[in-house]
Amino acid sequence: MELKDKILLQTPDKWSTQPHKLDGGASEANLSAIRQLRIEGFVSTWDDSNGGFISFELTDLGKLRKAELVGLQNR
């Protein structure tokens, strides 16, 4: 499973989360995966003045992808 999919699974459906609360914390790999998720439209982010992430949340598209991943895991 790709890191970005693991991040989607860790992200709550109804509220935002902060990168340091993910498995692996605010590592460069996690931040890069969050950037990719944002580009793909799965998350929206709140950025700080240094270009880092304060928090992020699932978009409607992200919630659909997360549901798909959960379904695949339950098979």
Side-chain angles (χ1 to χ4, degrees):
M1 179 178 290
E2 290 184 55
L3 179 58
K4 63 184 184 176
D5 291 337
K6 291 178 182 178
I7 289 173
L8 283 176
L9 290 170
Q10 293 178 57
T11 305
D13 285 345
K14 298 192 185 260
W15 58 85
S16 64
T17 192
Q18 298 169 320
H20 73 273
K21 293 183 179 181
L22 298 171
D23 291 344
S27 66
E28 187 54 42
N30 279 348
L31 296 177
S32 179
I34 294 168
R35 284 184 199 98
Q36 186 62 40
L37 288 167
R38 180 177 60 188
I39 290 167
E40 294 174 7
F42 294 126
V43 300
S44 57
T45 63
W46 288 268
D47 303 341
D48 65 18
S49 60
N50 296 321
F53 300 120
I54 295 172
S55 64
F56 64 99
E57 69 180 5
L58 296 175
T59 61
D60 288 342
L61 186 61
K63 291 174 187 175
L64 290 172
R65 176 65 179 151
K66 180 179 176 181
E68 180 183 315
L69 291 169
V70 169
L72 290 171
Q73 281 188 324
N74 291 334
R75 284 188 178 182

